[in-house]
Amino acid sequence: MKTLARILVMLLFTQVVLAQEVDDGDKLLNRPAERTYDIILDSGYLKVGVYRNFPPYSYEVDGEPRGIDIELGRRIAKEMGVEFKVHWIIPDENLGDDLRNNVWKGHYLAKQRLADVMLRVPYDKTYAYMQDSTGEYINEQVVLFGPYQQETWQIAYDPGKLDSVETVAVFQYNPIGVEIDTLPDFYLTSAFGGRMREQVNHYASVADAFEALRKGEVSAVMGMRSEIDHELAKPANSAFKAAGNGFPGIGKQVWDVGMAIKHTHRQLGYALEAIVDKLVKTGEVNELMASQNLRYSVPGYYRNFLDEQAIARAEGDL
């Protein structure tokens, strides 16, 4: 009986130890998981989750955070009267994993390392209310809100190799570069019965695809518009042009980008939503984009209720 008692005590002790969070001495990382709006204000900082190494949205230059989402995070924190802190996100297999690991639960190796808010999240009602086979909401632990940009797909091409790109059908005969395992990759390898598949060249990033474009290995590159604009703004890519074609059968040609918080932190969400709403309507988000030579489109969410003059103001046309 004494041996059994010792085993039970050891098992109980092991469970207690495993339940404790590992403290690596960094107070910022090992903060309490439930950072409510009031706690954030009292702490003096807002921890904003952004994707690592994802230009032009969020990346580092000599250890300094840069990018549109970084600047937006700083502007939001300033409006709240707190300091901006970056929470770098390494993408997992899908968005659901990213939300779980960085917004509401935490990675199993670092459960307290959560962002107060995550940026660059697709603002999609269908996704937000997606249900599993039992009828349970898959994303019930998070709130998707505050759209601040409309994104779309874009092709850049070399006029020395192509006169124009009126349709993607030209890539049945001309090589095009894409980032591997992205929607442009899947689209170009499957559209038109797979007739473009042999012309699709895969690269680790859009920047690498542009390097191939400079070397003449491909005649064009496809990616998100902001990624393409970011590359076209570089002097080394000044010879290339943005195409004006569409993408039949791609599914979503345009989509809104917004934010995500844990579902229990709605007061924080209301505050952030009010700040971003102001930044969009006054044209400040457009100014942030324009300062980095990026085109800006007001989210479709705002197009449902803003008049033409208000949209023009938001997009810097007034």
Side-chain angles (χ1 to χ4, degrees):
M1 290 296 291
K2 290 183 178 179
T3 301
L4 179 59
R6 290 194 186 99
I7 292 174
L8 290 173
V9 170
M10 289 182 65
L11 286 174
L12 179 60
F13 176 74
T14 302
Q15 289 176 343
V16 171
V17 171
L18 290 175
Q20 293 176 347
E21 301 291 350
V22 177
D23 187 347
D24 60 8
D26 191 324
K27 293 182 179 179
L28 180 61
L29 296 179
N30 291 289
R31 60 175 175 71
E34 289 298 326
R35 274 176 56 84
T36 62
Y37 178 65
D38 290 335
I39 289 176
I40 288 171
L41 294 181
D42 289 340
S43 71
Y45 69 88
L46 177 72
K47 200 170 187 186
V48 180
V50 294
Y51 285 104
R52 183 183 289 275
N53 194 26
F54 192 26
Y57 311 110
S58 45
Y59 57 103
E60 288 182 286
V61 176
D62 298 328
E64 179 69 20
R66 298 281 181 84
I68 290 302
D69 288 344
I70 295 294
E71 294 307 315
L72 179 61
R74 287 189 172 123
R75 191 67 62 89
I76 291 172
K78 182 179 179 181
E79 291 287 332
M80 288 181 65
V82 296
E83 183 182 356
F84 166 81
K85 298 284 187 181
V86 64
H87 169 95
W88 291 115
I89 296 172
I90 298 175
D92 210 312
E93 293 185 2
N94 54 57
L95 176 60
D97 291 339
D98 295 343
L99 292 169
R100 181 186 65 250
N101 293 337
N102 297 279
V103 176
W104 65 269
K105 185 177 183 181
H107 193 275
Y108 67 92
L109 292 177
K111 290 187 177 180
Q112 288 188 343
R113 299 186 181 186
L114 295 171
D116 296 322
V117 58
M118 178 176 168
L119 303 187
R120 196 60 42 184
V121 178
Y123 180 77
D124 186 288
K125 289 297 183 183
T126 301
Y127 179 79
Y129 294 107
M130 189 181 300
Q131 296 173 296
D132 61 19
S133 59
T134 66
E136 295 291 328
Y137 288 112
I138 296 174
N139 300 301
E140 65 177 354
Q141 298 292 333
V142 296
V143 177
L144 308 182
F145 70 106
Y148 56 88
Q149 179 195 353
Q150 186 178 78
E151 190 58 274
T152 185
W153 301 111
Q154 177 72 58
I155 285 177
Y157 69 99
D158 183 353
K161 292 182 176 294
L162 297 170
D163 292 333
S164 64
V165 180
E166 301 299 330
T167 169
V168 292
V170 300
F171 301 112
Q172 295 177 85
Y173 319 104
N174 298 277
I176 183 170
V178 296
E179 182 177 347
I180 192 168
D181 289 337
T182 58
L183 195 146
D185 179 9
F186 301 136
Y187 172 68
L188 291 172
T189 54
S190 61
F192 304 127
R195 283 178 286 180
M196 298 181 288
R197 184 180 298 118
E198 298 303 318
Q199 297 294 341
V200 179
N201 291 255
H202 300 93
Y203 301 93
S205 66
V206 170
D208 288 344
F210 264 86
E211 183 178 356
L213 185 61
R214 291 192 295 270
K215 292 179 179 178
E217 297 175 3
V218 296
S219 58
V221 174
M222 180 176 173
M224 287 183 283
R225 185 175 70 178
S226 295
E227 292 179 303
I228 298 298
D229 285 354
H230 178 66
E231 290 296 326
L232 289 177
K234 296 178 180 179
N237 297 325
S238 60
F240 308 136
K241 293 183 178 180
N245 62 289
F247 303 94
I250 199 171
K252 276 211 167 188
Q253 173 69 64
V254 297
W255 64 97
D256 287 355
V257 176
M259 304 179 285
I261 57 167
K262 190 174 181 179
H263 76 105
T264 55
H265 297 167
R266 292 180 183 272
Q267 185 181 8
L268 170 64
Y270 298 145
L272 295 175
E273 189 170 44
I275 292 171
V276 168
D277 183 72
K278 172 190 171 186
L279 296 178
V280 169
K281 290 179 178 178
T282 59
E284 291 185 64
V285 177
N286 173 69
E287 291 173 4
L288 290 177
M289 299 279 288
S291 69
Q292 299 192 35
N293 299 306
L294 306 177
R295 287 171 286 175
Y296 176 69
S297 292
V298 168
Y301 165 81
Y302 285 96
R303 298 178 187 276
N304 292 324
F305 58 87
L306 290 184
D307 58 32
E308 292 184 5
Q309 185 175 23
I311 292 174
R313 185 182 303 108
E315 293 184 338
D317 294 331
L318 282 183

